[in-house]
PDB file of all heavy atoms in Angstrom:
ATOM      1  N   SER A 315      13.536  97.226   6.430  1.00 96.00           N
ATOM      2  CA  SER A 315      14.769  97.768   7.020  1.00 96.00           C
ATOM      3  C   SER A 315      15.475  98.785   6.142  1.00 96.00           C
ATOM      4  O   SER A 315      16.475  99.355   6.562  1.00 96.00           O
ATOM      5  CB  SER A 315      15.739  96.614   7.337  1.00 96.00           C
ATOM      6  OG  SER A 315      16.144  95.961   6.171  1.00 96.00           O
ATOM      7  N   ARG A 316      14.952  98.991   4.925  1.00 97.00           N
ATOM      8  CA  ARG A 316      15.581  99.937   4.028  1.00 97.00           C
ATOM      9  C   ARG A 316      15.117 101.356   4.440  1.00 97.00           C
ATOM     10  O   ARG A 316      13.935 101.633   4.450  1.00 97.00           O
ATOM     11  CB  ARG A 316      15.201  99.654   2.553  1.00 97.00           C
ATOM     12  CG  ARG A 316      16.017 100.466   1.578  1.00 97.00           C
ATOM     13  CD  ARG A 316      15.945  99.860   0.197  1.00 97.00           C
ATOM     14  NE  ARG A 316      14.599  99.746  -0.335  1.00 97.00           N
ATOM     15  CZ  ARG A 316      13.924  98.638  -0.488  1.00 97.00           C
ATOM     16  NH1 ARG A 316      14.487  97.474  -0.143  1.00 97.00           N
ATOM     17  NH2 ARG A 316      12.714  98.630  -1.000  1.00 97.00           N
ATOM     18  N   ILE A 317      16.064 102.222   4.771  1.00 97.00           N
ATOM     19  CA  ILE A 317      15.736 103.536   5.349  1.00 97.00           C
ATOM     20  C   ILE A 317      16.127 104.663   4.444  1.00 97.00           C
ATOM     21  O   ILE A 317      17.020 104.524   3.598  1.00 97.00           O
ATOM     22  CB  ILE A 317      16.414 103.707   6.742  1.00 97.00           C
ATOM     23  CG1 ILE A 317      17.940 103.529   6.613  1.00 97.00           C
ATOM     24  CG2 ILE A 317      15.815 102.734   7.756  1.00 97.00           C
ATOM     25  CD1 ILE A 317      18.662 103.766   7.933  1.00 97.00           C
ATOM     26  N   VAL A 318      15.436 105.783   4.622  1.00 98.00           N
ATOM     27  CA  VAL A 318      15.655 107.029   3.832  1.00 98.00           C
ATOM     28  C   VAL A 318      15.663 108.205   4.809  1.00 98.00           C
ATOM     29  O   VAL A 318      14.871 108.262   5.718  1.00 98.00           O
ATOM     30  CB  VAL A 318      14.561 107.196   2.764  1.00 98.00           C
ATOM     31  CG1 VAL A 318      14.645 108.550   2.106  1.00 98.00           C
ATOM     32  CG2 VAL A 318      14.639 106.069   1.743  1.00 98.00           C
ATOM     33  N   TYR A 319      16.617 109.131   4.531  1.00 98.00           N
ATOM     34  CA  TYR A 319      16.752 110.321   5.364  1.00 98.00           C
ATOM     35  C   TYR A 319      16.128 111.526   4.642  1.00 98.00           C
ATOM     36  O   TYR A 319      16.223 111.623   3.416  1.00 98.00           O
ATOM     37  CB  TYR A 319      18.219 110.641   5.634  1.00 98.00           C
ATOM     38  CG  TYR A 319      18.988 109.518   6.374  1.00 98.00           C
ATOM     39  CD1 TYR A 319      19.651 108.535   5.645  1.00 98.00           C
ATOM     40  CD2 TYR A 319      19.029 109.492   7.740  1.00 98.00           C
ATOM     41  CE1 TYR A 319      20.339 107.531   6.285  1.00 98.00           C
ATOM     42  CE2 TYR A 319      19.754 108.483   8.421  1.00 98.00           C
ATOM     43  CZ  TYR A 319      20.400 107.517   7.644  1.00 98.00           C
ATOM     44  OH  TYR A 319      21.104 106.523   8.306  1.00 98.00           O
ATOM     45  N   SER A 320      15.541 112.448   5.429  1.00 97.00           N
ATOM     46  CA  SER A 320      15.024 113.689   4.832  1.00 97.00           C
ATOM     47  C   SER A 320      15.041 114.788   5.942  1.00 97.00           C
ATOM     48  O   SER A 320      14.940 114.465   7.134  1.00 97.00           O
ATOM     49  CB  SER A 320      13.637 113.487   4.309  1.00 97.00           C
ATOM     50  OG  SER A 320      12.721 113.095   5.315  1.00 97.00           O
ATOM     51  N   ILE A 321      15.181 116.018   5.469  1.00 96.00           N
ATOM     52  CA  ILE A 321      15.124 117.160   6.388  1.00 96.00           C
ATOM     53  C   ILE A 321      13.681 117.553   6.585  1.00 96.00           C
ATOM     54  O   ILE A 321      12.925 117.696   5.616  1.00 96.00           O
ATOM     55  CB  ILE A 321      15.949 118.347   5.831  1.00 96.00           C
ATOM     56  CG1 ILE A 321      17.435 117.967   5.788  1.00 96.00           C
ATOM     57  CG2 ILE A 321      15.748 119.598   6.705  1.00 96.00           C
ATOM     58  CD1 ILE A 321      18.321 119.021   5.169  1.00 96.00           C
ATOM     59  N   VAL A 322      13.280 117.678   7.838  1.00 94.00           N
ATOM     60  CA  VAL A 322      11.929 118.013   8.165  1.00 94.00           C
ATOM     61  C   VAL A 322      11.715 119.487   7.869  1.00 94.00           C
ATOM     62  O   VAL A 322      12.551 120.347   8.145  1.00 94.00           O
ATOM     63  CB  VAL A 322      11.606 117.682   9.653  1.00 94.00           C
ATOM     64  CG1 VAL A 322      10.198 118.093  10.012  1.00 94.00           C
ATOM     65  CG2 VAL A 322      11.860 116.204   9.914  1.00 94.00           C
ATOM     66  N   ASN A 323      10.521 119.796   7.308  1.00 80.00           N
ATOM     67  CA  ASN A 323      10.172 121.193   7.069  1.00 80.00           C
ATOM     68  C   ASN A 323      10.251 121.983   8.358  1.00 80.00           C
ATOM     69  O   ASN A 323       9.741 121.550   9.371  1.00 80.00           O
ATOM     70  CB  ASN A 323       8.792 121.320   6.456  1.00 80.00           C
ATOM     71  CG  ASN A 323       8.772 120.803   5.021  1.00 80.00           C
ATOM     72  OD1 ASN A 323       9.780 120.836   4.326  1.00 80.00           O
ATOM     73  ND2 ASN A 323       7.577 120.330   4.572  1.00 80.00           N
ATOM     74  N   SER A 324      10.908 123.143   8.275  1.00 78.00           N
ATOM     75  CA  SER A 324      11.123 123.932   9.503  1.00 78.00           C
ATOM     76  C   SER A 324      10.819 125.387   9.208  1.00 78.00           C
ATOM     77  O   SER A 324      10.842 125.842   8.089  1.00 78.00           O
ATOM     78  CB  SER A 324      12.593 123.770   9.955  1.00 78.00           C
ATOM     79  OG  SER A 324      12.861 124.672  11.003  1.00 78.00           O
ATOM     80  N   SER A 325      10.489 126.088  10.306  1.00 82.00           N
ATOM     81  CA  SER A 325      10.198 127.512  10.156  1.00 82.00           C
ATOM     82  C   SER A 325      11.467 128.310   9.925  1.00 82.00           C
ATOM     83  O   SER A 325      11.415 129.487   9.544  1.00 82.00           O
ATOM     84  CB  SER A 325       9.462 128.015  11.383  1.00 82.00           C
ATOM     85  OG  SER A 325      10.250 127.818  12.555  1.00 82.00           O
ATOM     86  N   SER A 326      12.638 127.717  10.131  1.00 86.00           N
ATOM     87  CA  SER A 326      13.893 128.430   9.962  1.00 86.00           C
ATOM     88  C   SER A 326      14.087 128.757   8.483  1.00 86.00           C
ATOM     89  O   SER A 326      13.955 127.877   7.622  1.00 86.00           O
ATOM     90  CB  SER A 326      15.057 127.573  10.475  1.00 86.00           C
ATOM     91  OG  SER A 326      16.278 128.181  10.157  1.00 86.00           O
ATOM     92  N   PRO A 327      14.417 129.999   8.174  1.00 89.00           N
ATOM     93  CA  PRO A 327      14.624 130.354   6.760  1.00 89.00           C
ATOM     94  C   PRO A 327      15.948 129.799   6.220  1.00 89.00           C
ATOM     95  O   PRO A 327      16.187 129.919   5.025  1.00 89.00           O
ATOM     96  CB  PRO A 327      14.647 131.905   6.804  1.00 89.00           C
ATOM     97  CG  PRO A 327      15.123 132.232   8.198  1.00 89.00           C
ATOM     98  CD  PRO A 327      14.571 131.167   9.069  1.00 89.00           C
ATOM     99  N   PHE A 328      16.733 129.198   7.068  1.00 93.00           N
ATOM    100  CA  PHE A 328      18.060 128.762   6.605  1.00 93.00           C
ATOM    101  C   PHE A 328      18.095 127.262   6.289  1.00 93.00           C
ATOM    102  O   PHE A 328      19.163 126.768   5.866  1.00 93.00           O
ATOM    103  CB  PHE A 328      19.097 129.096   7.681  1.00 93.00           C
ATOM    104  CG  PHE A 328      19.193 130.592   7.970  1.00 93.00           C
ATOM    105  CD1 PHE A 328      18.617 131.098   9.124  1.00 93.00           C
ATOM    106  CD2 PHE A 328      19.830 131.410   7.094  1.00 93.00           C
ATOM    107  CE1 PHE A 328      18.681 132.456   9.385  1.00 93.00           C
ATOM    108  CE2 PHE A 328      19.913 132.783   7.365  1.00 93.00           C
ATOM    109  CZ  PHE A 328      19.336 133.303   8.506  1.00 93.00           C
ATOM    110  N   VAL A 329      17.019 126.537   6.471  1.00 93.00           N
ATOM    111  CA  VAL A 329      16.987 125.115   6.182  1.00 93.00           C
ATOM    112  C   VAL A 329      17.279 124.867   4.710  1.00 93.00           C
ATOM    113  O   VAL A 329      17.915 123.887   4.340  1.00 93.00           O
ATOM    114  CB  VAL A 329      15.611 124.497   6.584  1.00 93.00           C
ATOM    115  CG1 VAL A 329      15.493 123.077   6.110  1.00 93.00           C
ATOM    116  CG2 VAL A 329      15.464 124.532   8.091  1.00 93.00           C
ATOM    117  N   SER A 330      16.831 125.795   3.858  1.00 92.00           N
ATOM    118  CA  SER A 330      17.063 125.636   2.407  1.00 92.00           C
ATOM    119  C   SER A 330      18.519 125.674   2.037  1.00 92.00           C
ATOM    120  O   SER A 330      18.863 125.352   0.907  1.00 92.00           O
ATOM    121  CB  SER A 330      16.264 126.715   1.661  1.00 92.00           C
ATOM    122  OG  SER A 330      16.714 127.989   2.006  1.00 92.00           O
ATOM    123  N   HIS A 331      19.358 126.106   2.948  1.00 95.00           N
ATOM    124  CA  HIS A 331      20.808 126.133   2.657  1.00 95.00           C
ATOM    125  C   HIS A 331      21.448 124.745   2.766  1.00 95.00           C
ATOM    126  O   HIS A 331      22.666 124.625   2.480  1.00 95.00           O
ATOM    127  CB  HIS A 331      21.513 127.081   3.643  1.00 95.00           C
ATOM    128  CG  HIS A 331      21.237 128.530   3.350  1.00 95.00           C
ATOM    129  ND1 HIS A 331      22.170 129.368   2.781  1.00 95.00           N
ATOM    130  CD2 HIS A 331      20.142 129.286   3.553  1.00 95.00           C
ATOM    131  CE1 HIS A 331      21.657 130.596   2.655  1.00 95.00           C
ATOM    132  NE2 HIS A 331      20.412 130.559   3.140  1.00 95.00           N
ATOM    133  N   PHE A 332      20.661 123.713   3.174  1.00 96.00           N
ATOM    134  CA  PHE A 332      21.257 122.400   3.395  1.00 96.00           C
ATOM    135  C   PHE A 332      20.507 121.317   2.597  1.00 96.00           C
ATOM    136  O   PHE A 332      19.288 121.404   2.367  1.00 96.00           O
ATOM    137  CB  PHE A 332      21.211 122.027   4.899  1.00 96.00           C
ATOM    138  CG  PHE A 332      21.911 123.038   5.767  1.00 96.00           C
ATOM    139  CD1 PHE A 332      21.191 123.993   6.453  1.00 96.00           C
ATOM    140  CD2 PHE A 332      23.300 123.015   5.890  1.00 96.00           C
ATOM    141  CE1 PHE A 332      21.832 124.916   7.271  1.00 96.00           C
ATOM    142  CE2 PHE A 332      23.910 123.930   6.693  1.00 96.00           C
ATOM    143  CZ  PHE A 332      23.209 124.906   7.384  1.00 96.00           C
ATOM    144  N   ASN A 333      21.282 120.357   2.181  1.00 96.00           N
ATOM    145  CA  ASN A 333      20.716 119.124   1.587  1.00 96.00           C
ATOM    146  C   ASN A 333      21.146 117.928   2.376  1.00 96.00           C
ATOM    147  O   ASN A 333      22.192 117.979   3.060  1.00 96.00           O
ATOM    148  CB  ASN A 333      21.223 118.979   0.125  1.00 96.00           C
ATOM    149  CG  ASN A 333      20.625 120.050  -0.793  1.00 96.00           C
ATOM    150  OD1 ASN A 333      19.514 120.476  -0.637  1.00 96.00           O
ATOM    151  ND2 ASN A 333      21.439 120.466  -1.789  1.00 96.00           N
ATOM    152  N   ILE A 334      20.404 116.817   2.248  1.00 97.00           N
ATOM    153  CA  ILE A 334      20.812 115.557   2.888  1.00 97.00           C
ATOM    154  C   ILE A 334      20.670 114.455   1.869  1.00 97.00           C
ATOM    155  O   ILE A 334      19.682 114.410   1.097  1.00 97.00           O
ATOM    156  CB  ILE A 334      19.957 115.273   4.149  1.00 97.00           C
ATOM    157  CG1 ILE A 334      20.549 114.078   4.893  1.00 97.00           C
ATOM    158  CG2 ILE A 334      18.502 115.060   3.809  1.00 97.00           C
ATOM    159  CD1 ILE A 334      19.967 113.846   6.285  1.00 97.00           C
ATOM    160  N   ASP A 335      21.701 113.613   1.800  1.00 97.00           N
ATOM    161  CA  ASP A 335      21.634 112.447   0.923  1.00 97.00           C
ATOM    162  C   ASP A 335      20.637 111.455   1.497  1.00 97.00           C
ATOM    163  O   ASP A 335      20.803 111.000   2.639  1.00 97.00           O
ATOM    164  CB  ASP A 335      22.994 111.791   0.810  1.00 97.00           C
ATOM    165  CG  ASP A 335      23.057 110.696  -0.245  1.00 97.00           C
ATOM    166  OD1 ASP A 335      22.299 109.717  -0.078  1.00 97.00           O
ATOM    167  OD2 ASP A 335      23.827 110.802  -1.205  1.00 97.00           O
ATOM    168  N   PRO A 336      19.597 111.098   0.783  1.00 97.00           N
ATOM    169  CA  PRO A 336      18.560 110.225   1.363  1.00 97.00           C
ATOM    170  C   PRO A 336      19.027 108.819   1.767  1.00 97.00           C
ATOM    171  O   PRO A 336      18.414 108.164   2.586  1.00 97.00           O
ATOM    172  CB  PRO A 336      17.482 110.141   0.253  1.00 97.00           C
ATOM    173  CG  PRO A 336      18.235 110.468  -0.992  1.00 97.00           C
ATOM    174  CD  PRO A 336      19.307 111.439  -0.611  1.00 97.00           C
ATOM    175  N   ASN A 337      20.131 108.383   1.148  1.00 97.00           N
ATOM    176  CA  ASN A 337      20.600 107.023   1.391  1.00 97.00           C
ATOM    177  C   ASN A 337      21.723 106.961   2.421  1.00 97.00           C
ATOM    178  O   ASN A 337      21.759 106.063   3.284  1.00 97.00           O
ATOM    179  CB  ASN A 337      21.073 106.388   0.106  1.00 97.00           C
ATOM    180  CG  ASN A 337      19.951 106.259  -0.921  1.00 97.00           C
ATOM    181  OD1 ASN A 337      18.885 105.785  -0.573  1.00 97.00           O
ATOM    182  ND2 ASN A 337      20.188 106.685  -2.148  1.00 97.00           N
ATOM    183  N   SER A 338      22.649 107.964   2.366  1.00 97.00           N
ATOM    184  CA  SER A 338      23.811 107.942   3.259  1.00 97.00           C
ATOM    185  C   SER A 338      23.615 108.729   4.523  1.00 97.00           C
ATOM    186  O   SER A 338      24.303 108.539   5.507  1.00 97.00           O
ATOM    187  CB  SER A 338      25.046 108.420   2.523  1.00 97.00           C
ATOM    188  OG  SER A 338      24.943 109.803   2.249  1.00 97.00           O
ATOM    189  N   GLY A 339      22.641 109.665   4.513  1.00 97.00           N
ATOM    190  CA  GLY A 339      22.452 110.547   5.652  1.00 97.00           C
ATOM    191  C   GLY A 339      23.472 111.683   5.762  1.00 97.00           C
ATOM    192  O   GLY A 339      23.528 112.360   6.798  1.00 97.00           O
ATOM    193  N   ARG A 340      24.240 111.937   4.706  1.00 98.00           N
ATOM    194  CA  ARG A 340      25.242 112.995   4.726  1.00 98.00           C
ATOM    195  C   ARG A 340      24.594 114.317   4.407  1.00 98.00           C
ATOM    196  O   ARG A 340      23.901 114.471   3.409  1.00 98.00           O
ATOM    197  CB  ARG A 340      26.358 112.690   3.731  1.00 98.00           C
ATOM    198  CG  ARG A 340      27.417 113.784   3.649  1.00 98.00           C
ATOM    199  CD  ARG A 340      28.569 113.363   2.768  1.00 98.00           C
ATOM    200  NE  ARG A 340      29.598 114.374   2.706  1.00 98.00           N
ATOM    201  CZ  ARG A 340      30.821 114.191   2.260  1.00 98.00           C
ATOM    202  NH1 ARG A 340      31.149 112.989   1.822  1.00 98.00           N
ATOM    203  NH2 ARG A 340      31.669 115.171   2.212  1.00 98.00           N
ATOM    204  N   ILE A 341      24.832 115.329   5.264  1.00 97.00           N
ATOM    205  CA  ILE A 341      24.324 116.689   5.096  1.00 97.00           C
ATOM    206  C   ILE A 341      25.383 117.527   4.395  1.00 97.00           C
ATOM    207  O   ILE A 341      26.556 117.536   4.817  1.00 97.00           O
ATOM    208  CB  ILE A 341      23.922 117.300   6.438  1.00 97.00           C
ATOM    209  CG1 ILE A 341      22.754 116.516   7.076  1.00 97.00           C
ATOM    210  CG2 ILE A 341      23.532 118.760   6.266  1.00 97.00           C
ATOM    211  CD1 ILE A 341      22.333 117.041   8.435  1.00 97.00           C
ATOM    212  N   THR A 342      24.988 118.192   3.361  1.00 97.00           N
ATOM    213  CA  THR A 342      25.894 119.078   2.616  1.00 97.00           C
ATOM    214  C   THR A 342      25.287 120.471   2.509  1.00 97.00           C
ATOM    215  O   THR A 342      24.092 120.691   2.810  1.00 97.00           O
ATOM    216  CB  THR A 342      26.123 118.544   1.191  1.00 97.00           C
ATOM    217  OG1 THR A 342      24.885 118.355   0.516  1.00 97.00           O
ATOM    218  CG2 THR A 342      26.872 117.215   1.251  1.00 97.00           C
TER     219      THR A 342
END
Side-chain angles (χ1 to χ4, degrees):
S315 63
R316 191 162 59 250
I317 57 177
V318 171
Y319 301 90
S320 61
I321 295 176
V322 179
N323 289 333
S324 171
S325 59
S326 172
F328 301 102
V329 171
S330 61
H331 287 254
F332 303 100
N333 291 326
I334 188 168
D335 187 299
N337 298 312
S338 69
R340 178 173 180 165
I341 296 178
T342 55

